[in-house]
């Protein structure tokens, strides 16, 4: 099963990424929680500027995997190499990767005690060591980008879910990451707010950001993804372009999943 | 991975290399911890060394010899008011502490529940009284309250309520609210008491059997309830079983006198053990326990596919278990006295049990005795035969009971209020009346919420009884202070205090945790 | 009791509904006489309350009560034997605190609006309560008439407020106006109402003198000045608030609050007589040296691109600090070295652009100046002439011990809580052992331990006053409880917050300082306020180890004066009321503030 060649160069209508450099390489990544195996020998490569959507039933290890890439969880076997840096216990590497990889969470996780602007500027000031004025200027631009410049002085508790998630995206972008990870960014949102967040994500994808997205939004996957990875029970079951995946899946488990969800 | 990853030239792939020590997060983490431990240990070592020097300079020795030495202490009350040794005195103090603490816990809980109910009642007056009770008692320091109660009790008549003419004269037996039985004066209250007699221990075995029987009866009734749906009142049945056993036991308890020789046999068995044998047995048990723990640990952490997955904490715990068993072995071999003490005390315990069971068949389990004046003209201290509640006891008792009843009342009230309103509505929707919904729906949930803070209150009540020292009630702190004033052995006495209170705290938290776990299981 | 259970005692779940506009008759019927059981309870509780109040008032106003004991000894209660000639110091300290309080009230926009309707209600209930109490109390006829007139005044005020409220529902009064008005009228009574002068006269055989007339000039003048200082500071604060940037002003004021106690205590307890030689040639060069060198080192260490070398340097400095204990060296150098080591260890957390680095260095400079001043002050003898060791006591001692306990135990508690919740097993083990041990043991054993045993653990020649060692013990004890409160707050910060902070690349210490602690501390403010009040109340345990706190004065000092033998109960009642007023008003005020700013909620 893990013999599936996950390192294929992928193409998508309008984009040829076969020459792009690899930016995330996972080799035989395994992870256990106690005696439960969450990830089983995951191997995959993601190219620069590629948009990968990870699908799968809940509990299939999608979130665990992308959290391992950001080292929010520690994998126990195998290698993860992000932008040429291997994830080890080396302090320098961890610091470097954290500021290269932005992450957006299902529950937004904005800092409730800070204003929206402070949420966005905190990390640039203290982690990227930017001068304050510069950081504020950048924050204003980013908030403009995600469409909520007028909310800068409010606190997260005063915003709607969709606005909060857009602030969270701005906060992640403020670190000028090369890769963005999205962990079910729209699952906690009311239906009418999902679109505003997805629009921001689509813009981001078009601007050439490398993205890994765990989501249940099939429309988004069809429209934006360069490649879709389907996971179940901690393993990668199938990899392919959206056309291939939605129209002509090879694996039975994928078919079952799609029949349930579509 | 069979397929090697083909690397385009543009890929910047780091070669997996050894992380330098000063950058390795794991190394840094352990380095920080070990260095902090080193600093703490060094500071302790410095302090203890200094204390040793200072003590030597002052010619004070550290040792527990005061436990066996006679001391000149007169206690205000207790199981023995003129103890013959320091150890005995401390023991009496402990019993006194436990006595006032346990009575305080019971009464403060009852009172606290009433306070909570009255604060939630729909009678305005009662609500206000409850609020006044809470606000006035909570905001005055307990010590001030205890001393205040003591000074109020001091204004009671010198001997008795009823006969003011006899105030100055010698104590007349025909005094007191209930002649000859009960006396109230500024020194305290004296009442008759029931105490356990020779036959008690055999009777206790009957009760034990009764408890087991009651358990089964309860289970059976519960099952019946589940099967048929009829109200089978299992608790009532269990209590009835126990009561029947208790009553029958009063007549048949001498049957169990055969337990005595068995105890004697065990004592002789312990007597025949040698010290090296004990040491060996204890060491082996320690090692086995540690090994078993580590093994259990490792099997728990092993995944189905056989992958062993240990975190830092797990390693630390395993090392800790190993170290602990090593420590046990070192201690047991270094201090031979410990083994012989274990042997002796074990033997003594069983010999004691033997004598307790070795009584003639006619002994009664209980005896009641009314006050019997020992020293006419003085305070009606009935010594061993009566029960006396001195002024000090009363002050401490009222202090902790009132003070903690205010706190407990607030906790219970908070617990009841925190049950969501929907629960009440749901209860009335399924047709329960107010009392039923209170009994079946609200109180169980409220109890679960208020149990942990209640446990904390019991803990702090027990510790607060140490304020007895201010009103001359001979609790462990007061006795200990007298002892170290006489012998200069402050450190040993304080270690006895701390051990005692830690033991109390542990016991209470174990009990509370037990109930907490049970309630949590019910929740699932 | 079964009566209560069956009819009225069944609790109403959720707080009893408040229906303010029920007509009195219906309100009575609903809340007091809804059914037979309810009526019975009302009558029973009324009887109990009235007889209790009767007893208490009978005790308080009985003719044999020696309330004189309290009046004559009020100085003893407040500051024990603090020399009268030095009272200016206390007044000055008090005025400083009032200035800070007034400024803060203005700058933080303290105070709420009190609607007149509510004022009327409380004036009515106080008036009725007072009237009933006066009726119960065994006062002389003239006394009864006077107090009933006062009660009538309250009722009249209630009536007036009610009329104002009836005209305009929205009319309200600032609670600050109310507070100052009350204070002002109380202080005004000092000038007009003949409370009498109570004092001791004569050194050998003290005699009690009670003269008629208003209180002594040395009492009423300072209090009046204090009132003006408070009001003046408030208006100054309003002026400053409008002129200066708010945020900066607030942080400066916070800084003043933080350092004020240390300076004021030194002002009250000891006015150090610096030996200029020593100060000029040892202390100042040392402080300056550490200031300059330390600032430079820290400026260098906060350079963002420095990497691990910074940590290694910090460890070396720290090692030098600890190593200095093995060599003969001035204590001040050791302390400064360790402080510098800790500051350098924290440097990467706060590194940044130039202005950030400069700020970090200047924080070090400020720290070193204050610490240097303090250490020098501790090492020089005092000029306050005092009779013996136990010159201060009473409420002053109680407050000082409580204050320092709180100040010392909070940071320690935060550290312990962080250690206990960290993922490092040895930290956790140490913190848990300490916390559980301390929490398992009564306070009094700890206090006795520190008052008896601490001197034995100190190096030769070093001696701590008993108050100091007991305060240290109390602070350690309190820290364990603080740690548990903070731990509750730490655990209430969700996992998502940790992850979000990590995901934007913060280090563990940055995460703790910028994200976790601010939220955790906010969550733990309500229990901490309760703990602080508890700390104040439990200072009464100092009585047991024989320090002259408020309770000791009331229980053992005054009742042993020849003039007031046997006045224990009066004094104890006074002490209880004092404690009650302080802790009740503190807890009420904190509850109100919590409700207003939504503390303890996410």
């Amino acid at each position: 099963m893990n013999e599936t060649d996950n390192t294929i160069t992928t193409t998508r209508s309008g984009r040829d990424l076969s020459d792009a450099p690899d930016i995330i390489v996972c080799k035989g990544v395994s992870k256990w929680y106690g005696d439960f195996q969450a990830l089983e020998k995951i191997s995959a490569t993601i190219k620069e500027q590629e948009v990968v959507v990870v699908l799968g039933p809940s509990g299939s290890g999608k979130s665990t995997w992308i959290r391992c890439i950001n080292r929010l969880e520690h994998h126990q076997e195998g290698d993860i190499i992000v932008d040429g840096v291997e994830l080890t216990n080396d302090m320098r590497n961890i610091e470097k990767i954290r500021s290269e990889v932005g992450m957006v969470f299902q529950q937004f996780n904005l800092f409730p005690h800070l204003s929206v602007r402070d949420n966005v500027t905190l990390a640039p000031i203290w982690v990227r060591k930017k001068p304050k004025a510069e950081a504020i200027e950048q924050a204003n631009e980013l908030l403009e980008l995600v469409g909520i410049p007028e909310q800068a002085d409010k606190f997260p508790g005063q915003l709607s879910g969709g606005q909060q998630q857009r602030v969270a995206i701005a906060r992640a972008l403020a670190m000028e990451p090369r890769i963005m990870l999205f962990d079910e960014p729209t699952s906690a949102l009311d239906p009418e707010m999902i679109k505003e967040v997805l629009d921001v994500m689509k813009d981001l994808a078009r601007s050439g950001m490398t993205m890994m997205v765990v989501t249940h939004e099939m429309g988004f996957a069809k429209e934006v993804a360069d490649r879709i990875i389907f996971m179940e029970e901690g393993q990668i079951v199938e990899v392919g372009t959206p056309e291939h995946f939605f129209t002509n899946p090879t694996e039975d488990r994928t078919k079952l999943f799609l029949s349930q969800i579509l | 991975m069979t397929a090697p990853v083909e690397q385009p030239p543009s890929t910047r792939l780091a070669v997996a290399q050894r992380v330098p020590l000063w950058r390795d997060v794991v190394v840094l983490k352990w380095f920080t911890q070990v260095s902090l431990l080193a600093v703490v240990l060094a500071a302790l070592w410095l302090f203890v060394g200094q204390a040793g020097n200072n003590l030597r300079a002052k010619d004070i020795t550290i040792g527990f010899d005061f436990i066996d030495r006679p001391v000149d202490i007169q206690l205000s009350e207790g199981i023995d008011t003129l103890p013959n040794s320091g150890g005995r005195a401390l023991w009496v103090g402990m019993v006194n502490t436990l006595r006032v603490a346990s009575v305080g816990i019971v009464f403060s809980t009852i009172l606290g529940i009433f306070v909570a109910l009255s604060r939630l009642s729909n009678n305005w007056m009662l609500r206000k009284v409850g609020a006044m009770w809470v606000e006035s008692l909570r905001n005055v320091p307990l010590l001030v309250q205890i001393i205040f109660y003591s000074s109020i009790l001091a204004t009671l008549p010198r001997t008795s309520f009823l006969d003011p003419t006899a105030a100055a004269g010698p104590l007349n037996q025909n005094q007191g609210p209930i002649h000859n039985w009960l006396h109230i004066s500024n020194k305290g209250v004296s009442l008759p008491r029931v105490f356990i007699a020779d036959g008690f221990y055999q009777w206790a075995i009957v009760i034990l059997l009764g408890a087991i029987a009651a358990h089964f009866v309860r289970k059976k009734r519960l099952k019946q309830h589940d099967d048929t749906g009829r109200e089978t009142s299992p608790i009532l049945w269990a209590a009835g079983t126990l009561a029947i056993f208790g009553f029958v036991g009063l007549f048949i308890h001498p049957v169990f006198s055969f337990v005595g020789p068995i105890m004697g046999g065990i004592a002789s068995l312990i007597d025949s053990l040698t010290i090296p044998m004990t040491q060996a047995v204890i060491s082996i048990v320690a090692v086995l326990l540690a090994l078993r723990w580590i093994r259990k640990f490792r099997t728990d952490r092993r995944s189905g596919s056989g992958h062993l997955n240990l975190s830092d904490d797990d390693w630390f715990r395993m090392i800790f278990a190993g170290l602990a068993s090593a420590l046990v072995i070192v201690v047991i071999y270094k201090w031979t006295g410990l083994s012989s003490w274990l042997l002796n005390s074990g033997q003594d315990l069983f010999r004691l049990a033997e004598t307790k069971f070795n009584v003639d068949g006619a002994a009664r389990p209980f005896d009641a005795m009314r006050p019997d004046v020992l020293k006419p003209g003085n305070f009606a201290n009935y010594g061993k035969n009566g029960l006396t509640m001195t002024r000090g006891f009363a002050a401490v008792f009222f202090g902790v009971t009132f003070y903690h009843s205010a706190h407990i009342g607030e906790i219970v009230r908070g617990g009841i209020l925190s049950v969501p309103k929907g629960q009440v509505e749901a209860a009335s929707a399924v047709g329960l009346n107010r009392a039923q919904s209170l009994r079946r729906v609200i109180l169980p949930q409220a109890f679960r919420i208020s149990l942990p803070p209640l446990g904390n209150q019991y803990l702090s009540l027990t510790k607060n009884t140490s304020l007895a020292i201010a009103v001359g009630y001979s609790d462990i702190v007061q006795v200990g202070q007298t002892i170290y004033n006489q012998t200069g052995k402050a450190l040993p006495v304080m270690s006895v205090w701390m051990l005692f209170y830690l033991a109390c705290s542990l016991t209470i938290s174990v009990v509370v945790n037990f109930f907490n776990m049970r309630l949590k299981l019910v929740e699932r | 009791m079964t009566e209560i259970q069956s009819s009225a005692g069944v609790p109403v779940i959720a707080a009893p509904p408040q229906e303010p506009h029920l007509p009195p008759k219906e309100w009575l019927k609903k809340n007091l006489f809804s059914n037979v059981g309810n009526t019975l309870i009302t009558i029973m509780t009324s009887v109990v309350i009235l007889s209790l109040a009767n007893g208490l008032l009978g005790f308080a106003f009985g003719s044999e009560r020696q309330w004189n004991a309290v009046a004559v000894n009020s100085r003893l209660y407040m500051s024990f034997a603090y020399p009268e000639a030095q009272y200016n110091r206390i007044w000055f300290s008090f005025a400083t605190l009032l200035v800070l309080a007034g400024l803060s009230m203005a700058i933080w926009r303290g105070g709420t609006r009190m609607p007149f309707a509510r004022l009327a209600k409380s004036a009515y209930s106080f008036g009725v309560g007072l009237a009933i109490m006066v009726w119960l109390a065994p006062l002389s006829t003239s006394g009864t008439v006077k107090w009933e007139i006062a009660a009538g005044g309250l009722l009249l005020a209630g009536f007036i407020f009610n009329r104002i409220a009836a005209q305009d529902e929205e009319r309200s009064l600032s609670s600050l106006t109310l507070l100052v008005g009350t204070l002002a009228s109380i202080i005004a009574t000092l000038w007009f109402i003949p409370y009498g002068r109570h004092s001791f006269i004569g050194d050998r055989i003290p005699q009690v003198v009670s003269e008629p007339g208003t209180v002594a000039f040395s009492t009423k003048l300072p209090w009046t000045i204090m009132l003006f200082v408070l009001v003046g500071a408030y208006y100054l604060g309003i002026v400053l608030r409008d002129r200066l940037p708010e945020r900066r002003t607030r942080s400066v004021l916070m800084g003043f609050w933080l350092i004020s106690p240390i300076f004021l205590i030194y002002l009250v307890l000891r006015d150090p007589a610096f030996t200029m030689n020593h100060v000029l040639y040892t202390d100042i060069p040392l402080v300056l040296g550490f200031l300059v060198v330390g600032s430079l080192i820290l400026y260098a260490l906060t350079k963002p691109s420095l990497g691990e070398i910074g940590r290694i340097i910090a460890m070396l400095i720290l090692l030098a600090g600890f190593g200095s204990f093995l060599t003969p060296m001035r204590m001040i150098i050791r302390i400064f070295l360790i402080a510098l080591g800790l500051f350098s260890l924290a440097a990467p957390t706060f590194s940044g652009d130039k202005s950030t680095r400069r700020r970090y260095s200047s924080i070090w400079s400020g720290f070193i100046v204050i610490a240097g001043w303090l250490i020098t002050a501790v090492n020089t003898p005092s000029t306050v002439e005092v009779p013996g060791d136990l010159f201060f006591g009473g409420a002053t001692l109680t407050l000082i011990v409580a204050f320092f306990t709180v100040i010392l135990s909070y940071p320690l508690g935060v550290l312990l809580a962080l250690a206990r919740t960290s993922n490092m097993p040895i930290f956790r083990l140490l913190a848990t052992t300490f916390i559980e041990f301390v929490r398992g043991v009564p306070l009094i054993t700890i206090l006795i331990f520190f008052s008896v045993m601490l001197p034995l653990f100190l190096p030769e020649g070093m001696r701590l006053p008993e108050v100091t060692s007991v305060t240290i013990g109390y602070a350690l004890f309190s820290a364990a409880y603080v740690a548990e409160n903070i731990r509750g707050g730490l655990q209430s910060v969700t996992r998502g917050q940790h992850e979000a902070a990590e995901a934007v690349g913060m280090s563990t210490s940055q995460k703790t300082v910028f994200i976790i602690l601010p939220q955790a501390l906010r969550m733990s403010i309500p229990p901490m306020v309760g703990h602080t009040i508890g700390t104040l109340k439990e200072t009464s345990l100092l009585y047991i180890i024989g320090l002259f706190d408020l309770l000791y004065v009331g229980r053992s000092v005054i009742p042993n004066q020849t003039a007031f033998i046997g006045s224990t109960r009066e004094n104890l009642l006074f002490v209880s009321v004092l404690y009650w007023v302080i802790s009740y008003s503190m807890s009420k005020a904190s509850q109100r503030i919590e409700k207003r700013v939504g503390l303890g909620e996410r």
Side-chain angles (χ1 to χ4, degrees), chain C residues 450-465:
Chain C
F450 272 82
S451 78
V452 176
M453 295 302 292
L454 192 67
L456 289 180
F457 284 94
L458 292 175
E460 237 162 290
M462 188 172 166
R463 196 166 285 174
L464 283 178

Side-chain angles (χ1 to χ4, degrees), chain A residues 31-37 76-77, chain B residues 292-318, chain C residues 428:
Chain A
K31 172 161 182 68
W32 288 263
Y33 292 112
D35 60 355
F36 168 73
Q37 185 158 15
Q76 283 141 352
E77 270 178 15
Chain B
R292 204 179 139 220
W293 201 63
I294 292 175
R295 249 189 54 197
K296 183 168 164 286
F297 202 75
R298 288 175 71 95
T299 42
D300 282 354
R301 293 286 186 279
R302 195 179 288 281
S303 69
S305 56
H307 177 85
L308 185 63
N309 170 26
L310 293 170
S311 67
D312 284 359
D313 282 12
D314 301 342
W315 280 109
F316 180 74
R317 282 186 197 125
M318 277 157 49
Chain C
R428 232 170 30 218

Side-chain angles (χ1 to χ4, degrees), chain B residues 409-420 442 445-447 449-450:
Chain B
E410 283 302 275
I411 288 169
V412 174
R413 185 173 80 110
I416 292 176
L417 283 181
S418 65
V419 177
I442 297 158
Q445 297 187 49
F447 183 60
I449 294 165
S450 31

Side-chain angles (χ1 to χ4, degrees), chain C residues 210-222:
Chain C
S210 295
E211 296 168 10
T214 56
V215 294
F217 202 67
S218 59
T219 307
K220 55 191 176 190
L221 185 66

Side-chain angles (χ1 to χ4, degrees), chain A residues 3 7 19-22 25 27-28 32-37 43 45 47-48 76-77 81 83-86 88-94 178, chain B residues 1-8 10-17 19-20 22-26 28 299-305 307 309-310:
Chain A
E3 299 308 315
T7 58
D19 290 339
D22 296 346
V25 179
K27 288 189 285 187
W32 288 263
Y33 292 112
D35 60 355
F36 168 73
Q37 185 158 15
S43 294
T45 306
K47 303 266 179 194
E48 204 162 337
Q76 283 141 352
E77 270 178 15
I81 298 154
D83 199 15
V85 178
E86 190 182 352
T88 54
N89 285 332
D90 192 337
M91 206 163 63
R92 262 188 204 174
N93 291 358
I94 296 171
R178 292 165 57 85
Chain B
M1 279 302 294
T2 46
V5 185
E6 203 63 48
Q7 301 304 336
S10 57
T11 307
R12 292 146 297 169
L13 232 183
V15 186
Q17 55 182 10
V19 184
W22 62 88
R23 263 164 42 193
D24 190 324
V25 174
V26 175
L28 281 178
T299 42
D300 282 354
R301 293 286 186 279
R302 195 179 288 281
S303 69
S305 56
H307 177 85
N309 170 26
L310 293 170

Side-chain angles (χ1 to χ4, degrees), chain A residues 67 70-73 91-92 95 98-99 101-103 105 108-114 118 122-123 125-132 171-172 175, chain C residues 247 304 307-308 311 348-353 356 359 494-507 510 514-516 518-519 522 602:
Chain A
R67 288 153 64 89
N70 202 11
R71 214 170 165 73
L72 287 176
E73 307 270 359
M91 206 163 63
R92 262 188 204 174
E95 279 170 11
R98 286 269 169 74
S99 43
V101 182
M103 175 125 183
F105 299 87
F108 332 132
N109 293 340
L110 291 181
F111 306 132
H113 61 299
L114 299 177
D118 288 344
L122 187 71
I125 291 176
W126 293 106
V127 182
R128 278 266 190 238
K129 315 294 185 191
K130 273 192 183 172
K132 204 173 172 184
R171 178 178 70 182
M175 291 295 289
Chain C
R247 225 168 157 174
E308 315 81 41
R311 286 197 176 82
T349 307
F350 300 101
S351 61
D353 67 329
T356 319
R359 197 166 62 207
T494 55
R495 221 179 116 73
Q497 292 292 317
H498 288 259
E499 289 178 349
E502 281 168 24
V504 291
M506 291 189 188
S507 65
Q510 285 177 333
F514 297 127
I515 307 297
I516 308 304
Q519 296 183 46
R522 197 180 150 84
R602 290 194 61 87

Side-chain angles (χ1 to χ4, degrees), chain A residues 140-149 173 200 203-204:
Chain A
N140 291 342
E141 281 166 21
L142 283 170
L143 289 176
E144 189 101 28
L145 190 75
V146 297
I148 37 173
L173 289 175
V200 171
D203 288 346
L204 203 59

